[in-house]
Amino acid sequence: MVLSLKKGEAISLRKEESDLSQITIGLGWDMADPVHKKGFFNALFAAPPADYDLDAVAFLLDANGKVSSLGVQNDLIGGDVVFFNSQKHPSGHIWLTDDNRTGAGNGDDEQIIVKLNNLSDKYQRILFVVSIYEGRKRAQHFGQLKNAFIRAVDNKGKELCRYDISAESHYDNMCSISFAEVVREANGWRFKALGTPHDSDDFVDVLKNYIG
């Protein structure tokens, strides 16, 4: 039975209970239902709603809760932030899979793969942030999405836990979310559901809180 978490809840991911050699952090969502305008001609000539393009990002944090490397030229490339322009961490132990720009289809729409057992002790937390690309420009926000979730799956395909949000009012006009984090423990890691909203559609604005 999969453990469904609520905001603020956490679960320990223990090495003796699950294969943490590689876990998948999966993100999924469905597009909001279009708002139908009244009248035949309005409905006939209305432009189709733009796709929602969600970007998953991972911040690798040290013992001080900070991102210690911002890349060779402080451009985030090759640093401790895994995102669409730097999809694989230099350690080779965490990477982002291909981008799904619409949320179409069943299952995960984006995935971040992490080899937890191999990750250096330097990294004590991994924060997972999700942003809507050009959300402000397109007037898109998390209050409009439905069936959005983040989940953790171990190396044997066992779903360990998941956290769902769907069109909740406090996500109205919010274009990014600190969705969840994994925190290092003595016998493994702890997965915690956060659900912290941000009004910016640029994950770099969230990152500023984690730069020393």
Side-chain angles (χ1 to χ4, degrees):
M1 181 177 178
V2 178
L3 178 61
S4 180
L5 299 176
K6 296 180 181 179
K7 182 175 181 177
E9 291 183 338
I11 177 178
S12 289
L13 308 178
R14 299 192 179 279
K15 297 177 182 178
E16 62 270 19
E17 297 175 358
S18 304
D19 184 352
L20 304 183
S21 59
Q22 179 170 302
I23 69 165
T24 298
I25 301 296
L27 165 73
W29 74 95
D30 289 329
M31 291 188 57
D33 295 325
V35 177
H36 297 286
K37 296 182 179 181
K38 294 182 178 180
F40 173 77
F41 287 103
N42 282 335
L44 182 64
F45 295 107
D51 291 337
Y52 286 70
D53 180 7
L54 271 65
D55 294 317
V57 183
F59 301 166
L60 282 77
L61 307 178
D62 60 20
N64 297 316
K66 301 296 183 180
V67 172
S68 60
S69 174
L70 298 176
V72 177
Q73 301 180 6
N74 286 335
D75 57 3
L76 303 184
I77 305 300
D80 288 337
V81 178
V82 176
F83 68 111
F84 45 83
N85 283 336
S86 188
Q87 295 191 1
K88 191 166 187 176
H89 189 261
S91 68
H93 300 323
I94 176 169
W95 64 92
L96 177 66
T97 63
D98 292 336
D99 187 17
N100 181 329
R101 296 184 179 277
T102 66
N106 296 322
D108 299 334
D109 296 309
E110 287 198 4
Q111 295 179 333
I112 296 177
I113 313 299
V114 190
K115 293 184 176 180
L116 288 177
N117 291 348
N118 296 334
L119 205 60
S120 168
D121 289 345
K122 171 184 177 180
Y123 304 110
Q124 294 294 307
R125 293 169 54 200
I126 306 173
L127 177 67
F128 300 100
V129 177
V130 184
S131 298
I132 303 176
Y133 176 69
E134 293 189 338
R136 286 294 169 204
K137 178 181 177 180
R138 300 178 181 183
Q140 297 174 342
H141 55 82
F142 277 93
Q144 298 167 327
L145 287 175
K146 61 181 182 180
N147 304 326
F149 68 85
I150 189 169
R151 66 178 188 148
V153 180
D154 77 359
N155 196 36
K156 295 182 179 179
K158 175 186 175 182
E159 184 171 317
L160 305 174
C161 60
R162 65 186 292 136
Y163 170 44
D164 296 272
I165 66 169
S166 186
E168 299 177 26
S169 60
H170 59 278
Y171 294 124
D172 286 349
N173 301 314
M174 298 295 164
C175 297
S176 297
I177 293 180
S178 295
F179 219 144
E181 66 178 358
V182 290
V183 182
R184 191 183 291 273
E185 295 184 324
N187 296 319
W189 295 75
R190 182 175 75 253
F191 182 100
K192 184 176 181 179
L194 298 177
T196 304
H198 313 279
D199 57 4
S200 175
D201 59 6
D202 187 346
F203 76 86
V204 175
D205 289 330
V206 182
L207 177 62
K208 293 175 182 177
N209 297 317
Y210 299 94
I211 298 176

